[in-house]
């Protein structure tokens, strides 16, 4: 259960990552999916397990998948940005 909660917390941070990447539509979609994800989690923990392919079930898994996509996009962007800084620093070093 702990690993699921960890992935849910990472998924909850995902709209901010999309905003950092200037993907506002994805941030809005992820925000809506987060509500369904937490609703599904609360239903499973305290009420009863919803049926497979219910709305909250779909929102739960779609949120986790979209969060994974966001984190990969964020890592790619971080590597590209670091590479650009490295190239800029290298040019300045050559000029001096």
């Amino acid at each position: 259960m702990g690993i699921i909660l960890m992935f849910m917390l990472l998924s909850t941070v995902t709209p901010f990552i999309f905003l950092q990447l200037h993907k506002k539509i994805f941030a809005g979609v992820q925000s809506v999916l987060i509500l369904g994800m937490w609703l599904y989690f609360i239903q499973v923990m305290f009420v009863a397990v919803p049926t497979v392919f219910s709305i909250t079930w779909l929102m739960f898994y779609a949120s986790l998948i979209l969060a994974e996509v966001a984190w990969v996009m964020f890592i790619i962007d971080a590597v590209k940005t670091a590479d650009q800084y490295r190239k800029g620093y290298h040019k300045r070093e050559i000029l001096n």
Side-chain angles (χ1 to χ4, degrees):
M1 184 53 77
I3 193 79
I4 297 290
L5 197 55
M6 182 186 72
F7 282 122
M8 288 176 62
L9 291 174
L10 287 174
S11 180
T12 303
V13 177
T14 302
F16 300 109
I17 292 174
F18 278 130
L19 289 175
Q20 172 108 15
L21 296 172
H22 306 292
K23 308 282 187 195
K24 294 179 182 176
I25 294 173
F26 286 126
V29 169
Q30 181 68 12
S31 298
V32 171
L33 290 176
I34 285 172
L35 295 174
M37 177 186 69
W38 282 105
L39 181 63
Y40 179 80
F41 179 74
I42 291 169
Q43 285 177 340
V44 167
M45 291 300 292
F46 301 112
V47 183
V49 179
T51 60
V52 177
F53 298 112
S54 65
I55 290 290
T56 55
W57 185 90
L58 290 170
M59 291 175 85
F60 180 82
Y61 288 105
S63 175
L64 293 177
I65 291 169
L66 193 59
E68 181 180 351
V69 169
W71 282 97
V72 170
M73 289 171 61
F74 180 71
I75 291 168
I76 290 170
D77 184 63
V79 169
K80 283 183 180 178
T81 304
D83 190 44
Q84 289 173 354
Y85 284 134
R86 185 185 56 80
K87 286 179 183 176
Y89 178 75
H90 185 66
K91 285 181 184 177
R92 278 185 264 147
E93 193 175 87
I94 290 173
L95 294 175
N96 291 332

